[in-house]
Amino acid sequence: MPSAKPPAPTPSAPSTAPSEFDLIRRHFTRPTRHTDLAGGDDAALLRAQPGMQLAVSTDMLVAGTHFFADTDAEDLGWKTLAVNVSDLAAMGASPRWAFLALALPAADEAWIAAFAGGLFACADAHGVDLAGGDTTRGPLTLSLTIIGELPHGAAITRAGARAGDELWVSGQPGLAGLGLAALRGEARLSAAGRTACLAALHRPQPRVALGLALRGIATAMLDVSDGLLGDLGHILECSGTGAIIDVAALPMNTLRETGADEWLARRCLLGGGDDYELLFAAPAAKRAEVQTLSAQLGLALHRIGELTSEPGALWLREDGGRLVRSTPSGYDHFG
């Protein structure tokens, strides 16, 4: 007797989860400003201006290393782009194109939409096109490559400083470090102080206008991402100079107003990192120009020391003129 015919398979319901390409089209596709072809093909087509040099930088943010896993997604979107824009500001370059690579634990559309909102808010603020990228499943990792433009030979590197140059830093370094200390329960801040410090930590403001204006004035520059003293060490190494930091000239008052104790405020200013302010050297003869820029941009620029001819030597000039040897150490991912 012939066996019974097996029942026809029941068609499975179509999946309602968005595909990788749906997510890209829905959340990361926008009109562009400087790009002939962005996304949806094997490569982007960029439109570089004649006579311009390209500046390229890449940063990666990893959950548990660079941010807490519960950090607001919109803030993360802003910061992922902002820290890269800051790298271009530190070279005196105009940001133009970004390429985003995301590893996501799940296709959480609400989280992705908020992240994209923060990313494009920063992109709109600085005229950046999202020109391409990639997504995959994995531990939450945010990686972004940015490309900018500047005239040939106009880049401000870390290697041009000379003994006798003055050292300047923009804005208010130390706030982001205090914000991180507050999240870790290591700092007791006032309500207003906590708000200001967390804003600095989660929504850094790249100093693009300052970076552009310092072309032809600054001899060396970088952004403060791993701590002021640690990042200063890169300028000293690349330029073959030393430095003296005048402790009395450090911008401490705003940090004191947060409610932080003096020791913690000073530690965060000198070594906290995540500030993305610009630290630069400029000849003493350019001091008036730097001060004029400060007024024009509405941005505090603090003259905090000078460079010396003693390669690699870093000194702090304490109250009364006493010199104390310091070490230009900052955050180290493998330290």
Side-chain angles (χ1 to χ4, degrees):
M1 188 174 179
S3 60
K5 185 177 181 181
T10 303
S12 58
S15 171
T16 58
S19 72
E20 172 189 359
F21 305 104
D22 291 333
L23 293 174
I24 292 171
R25 280 191 294 269
R26 194 172 302 164
H27 299 291
F28 297 106
T29 302
R30 300 282 177 91
T32 58
R33 306 165 182 81
H34 330 283
T35 312
D36 292 329
L37 180 62
D41 216 305
D42 292 307
L45 299 176
L46 311 181
R47 188 168 59 251
Q49 298 299 311
M52 302 294 275
Q53 195 169 22
L54 298 182
V56 184
S57 180
T58 298
D59 264 305
M60 181 183 297
L61 302 177
V62 179
T65 299
H66 300 96
F67 59 91
F68 294 106
D70 61 353
T71 299
D72 178 77
E74 189 172 343
D75 286 342
L76 276 178
W78 175 281
K79 190 168 184 176
T80 298
L81 180 56
V83 301
N84 284 268
V85 171
S86 181
D87 284 334
L88 295 190
M91 301 287 289
S94 298
R96 291 287 183 260
W97 305 279
F99 294 83
L100 175 69
L102 292 177
L104 302 169
D108 181 340
E109 278 223 72
W111 189 97
I112 293 169
F115 176 87
L119 181 89
F120 281 109
C122 187
D124 290 342
H126 297 286
V128 176
D129 287 350
L130 183 61
D134 193 22
T135 58
T136 189
R137 183 185 295 274
L140 183 57
T141 304
L142 319 168
S143 181
L144 192 139
T145 296
I146 195 163
I147 304 174
E149 291 182 312
L150 72 169
H152 277 282
I156 307 169
T157 71
R158 303 174 179 186
R162 298 179 294 271
D165 285 352
E166 295 178 331
L167 274 175
W168 298 78
V169 68
S170 67
Q172 183 55 69
L175 284 176
L178 283 176
L180 181 59
L183 291 178
R184 288 174 168 168
E186 299 168 356
R188 300 181 63 179
L189 308 177
S190 66
R194 182 182 176 91
T195 297
C197 292
L198 291 181
L201 176 65
H202 294 313
R203 293 272 180 148
Q205 302 298 316
R207 304 302 188 186
V208 175
L210 175 61
L212 297 178
L214 285 171
R215 292 197 306 227
I217 296 176
T219 56
M221 183 161 63
L222 46 63
D223 66 336
V224 180
S225 58
D226 296 326
L228 192 152
L229 293 186
D231 286 322
L232 172 57
H234 300 311
I235 289 179
L236 303 188
E237 180 181 4
C238 293
S239 295
T241 63
I244 298 174
I245 299 295
D246 189 350
V247 171
L250 295 173
M252 289 286 294
N253 287 340
T254 299
L255 301 184
R256 295 183 181 113
E257 291 167 1
T258 67
D261 67 67
E262 188 79 7
W263 177 84
L264 180 61
R266 174 168 160 165
R267 190 189 76 178
C268 287
L269 193 157
L270 293 176
D274 240 8
D275 295 303
Y276 302 99
E277 297 290 355
L278 296 184
L279 175 67
F280 62 94
K286 298 283 189 179
R287 184 186 303 175
E289 292 181 53
V290 175
Q291 291 169 334
T292 297
L293 281 182
S294 177
Q296 290 175 342
L297 298 174
L299 175 64
L301 300 177
H302 310 280
R303 182 166 52 90
I304 61 170
E306 65 270 358
L307 296 180
T308 71
S309 59
E310 187 180 6
L314 176 58
W315 298 86
L316 302 181
R317 184 184 290 122
E318 300 282 357
D319 292 341
R322 182 171 59 97
L323 291 177
V324 177
R325 188 72 178 257
S326 185
T327 302
S329 60
Y331 180 77
D332 181 350
H333 290 281
F334 297 98

